[in-house]
């Protein structure tokens, strides 16, 4: 039986853990050959080893040379490239008044510059290979002020705008560019930040989970985000480009 992504080649950055790992697994299950890329080479290798026809590549998405090499390696190894998911990201929880310029730049560098570099080098190659899709991972923090998350949220808002610009620039070349905006998903990025939110918001230990339950109903799962990425990566979304899909259990749609 044919699968949705048979014959396609995909790169997922930050795919050694969390959402990226779930996205790599789902694209692979749908028939894609997946380049599992992460700054943590051992984690990328472990994920790639568990998939059919996958390649692990160690990449720091803030390095222009490494992102360029990642795209070249994908095309060389699998003969083509059709899908890029610039998923790699880092969290950082601190109020603006306490933040160093260095921390601001580190956070925006991974979350925004890494997405620029991924689109810059992958999209022209996808076009040369007959077209395909880029799926960026923004966040609901892009939709409103996000206390304690200034550089993260600003970068995610910029990713949405970059997604829209890239969608128009690459439309003639047959490359669709769309964004998913997850709410809070139960990954290391969130669980490590939860105690910092609790301290800053005056919540008791474990209080962050209660806040999420109140605002989102529950945490999202990496698999739910991967399903949305699959939609934008596949022909099921053939008329979508520059679109944003919010997945958050209703959080941003509610005032209280
Ligand atoms: N978890 C959430 O609730 C949530 C919500 C919205 C958006 N997101 C976004 O989803 C993406 C994945 O987040 P996650 O929750 O899976 O995080 P995670 O911390 O669980 O995993 C992130 C992965 O990215 C890798 N990474 C970090 N810096 C890198 C770099 N410079 N180059 C390459 N790889 C790097 C890490 O090694 C790790 O494997 C991020 O862009 C994040 O902002 C997450």
């Amino acid at each position: 039986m044919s699968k949705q992504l048979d014959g396609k080649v995909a790169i997922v950055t930050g795919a050694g853990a969390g959402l990226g790992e779930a996205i790599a697994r789902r694209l692979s299950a749908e028939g894609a050959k997946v380049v599992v890329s992460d700054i943590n080479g051992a984690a990328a290798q472990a994920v790639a080893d568990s998939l059919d026809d996958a390649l692990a590549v160690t990449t720091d998405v803030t390095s222009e040379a490494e992102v360029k090499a990642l795209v070249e390696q994908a095309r060389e190894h699998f003969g083509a490239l059709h899908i890029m998911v610039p998923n790699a990201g880092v969290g950082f929880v601190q109020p603006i008044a306490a933040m160093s310029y260095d921390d601001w730049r580190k956070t925006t560098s991974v979350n925004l510059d890494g997405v620029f570099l991924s689109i810059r080098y992958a999209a022209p190659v996808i076009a040369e290979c007959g077209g395909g899709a880029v799926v960026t991972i923004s966040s609901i923090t892009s939709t409103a002020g996000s206390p304690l998350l200034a550089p993260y949220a600003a970068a995610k808002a910029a990713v949405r705008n970059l997604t829209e610009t890239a969608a128009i620039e690459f439309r003639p070349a047959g490359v669709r560019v769309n964004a998913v905006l997850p709410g809070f998903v139960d990954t290391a990025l969130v669980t490590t930040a939860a105690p910092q939110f609790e301290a800053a918001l005056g919540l008791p230990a474990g209080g962050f989970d209660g806040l999420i339950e109140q605002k989102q109903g529950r945490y999202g799962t990496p698999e739910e985000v991967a399903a949305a990425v699959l939609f934008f990566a596949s022909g099921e979304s053939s008329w979508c480009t520059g679109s944003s899909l919010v997945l958050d259990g209703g959080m941003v749609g509610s005032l209280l």
Side-chain angles (χ1 to χ4, degrees), residues 43-68:
Q45 191 65 57
V47 174
D49 286 347
S50 70
L51 302 177
D52 284 340
D53 222 354
L55 174 73
V57 178
T58 307
T59 316
D60 177 349
V61 297
T62 66
S63 160
E64 181 172 14
E66 289 184 28
V67 174
K68 196 164 178 255

Side-chain angles (χ1 to χ4, degrees), residues 21-256:
E21 177 180 352
I23 293 163
R25 291 192 184 286
R26 186 68 201 269
L27 300 185
S28 174
E30 296 298 336
K33 300 176 199 310
V34 180
V35 179
V36 179
S37 166
D38 203 287
I39 196 169
N40 180 340
Q45 191 65 57
V47 174
D49 286 347
S50 70
L51 302 177
D52 284 340
D53 222 354
L55 174 73
V57 178
T58 307
T59 316
D60 177 349
V61 297
T62 66
S63 160
E64 181 172 14
E66 289 184 28
V67 174
K68 196 164 178 255
L70 166 67
V71 172
E72 281 165 5
Q73 235 180 305
R75 177 150 65 167
E76 207 175 287
H77 188 83
F78 288 125
L81 181 65
H82 309 101
I83 297 161
M84 167 54 104
V85 185
N87 159 82
V90 290
F92 186 67
V93 182
Q94 204 162 62
I96 293 168
M99 193 174 302
S100 71
Y101 185 33
D102 194 42
D103 284 332
W104 168 274
R105 284 195 294 196
K106 278 187 192 151
T107 310
T108 54
S109 176
V110 181
N111 292 315
L112 175 58
D113 300 355
V115 179
F116 158 70
L117 290 172
S118 300
I119 295 174
R120 163 66 185 86
Y121 288 103
V125 172
I126 294 172
E128 283 169 28
C129 295
V134 175
V135 188
T136 60
I137 314 295
S138 178
S139 156
I140 55 164
T141 60
S142 71
T143 65
S146 304
L148 308 176
L149 291 173
Y152 179 86
K156 292 297 184 182
V159 164
R160 274 179 76 189
N161 190 271
L162 179 62
T163 299
E164 292 169 349
T165 300
I168 302 307
E169 289 192 4
F170 288 102
R171 187 170 58 196
V175 184
R176 297 180 302 104
V177 190
N178 294 289
V180 296
L181 278 61
F184 290 86
V185 182
D186 201 1
T187 67
L189 184 124
V190 169
T191 51
T192 56
Q196 293 165 277
F197 275 113
E198 284 162 1
L201 300 174
L203 294 168
F208 189 70
D209 291 349
L211 186 64
I212 292 302
E213 197 181 328
Q214 183 195 339
K215 297 286 186 185
Q216 297 191 164
R218 60 172 171 79
Y219 283 101
T221 68
E223 291 71 27
E224 288 171 319
V225 177
V229 171
L230 172 63
F231 171 68
F232 281 138
S234 76
E236 292 295 309
S237 61
S238 51
W239 202 35
C240 294
T241 198
S243 296
S244 296
L245 178 60
V246 171
L247 308 160
D248 72 343
M251 183 170 180
V252 301
S254 167
L255 199 55
L256 292 173

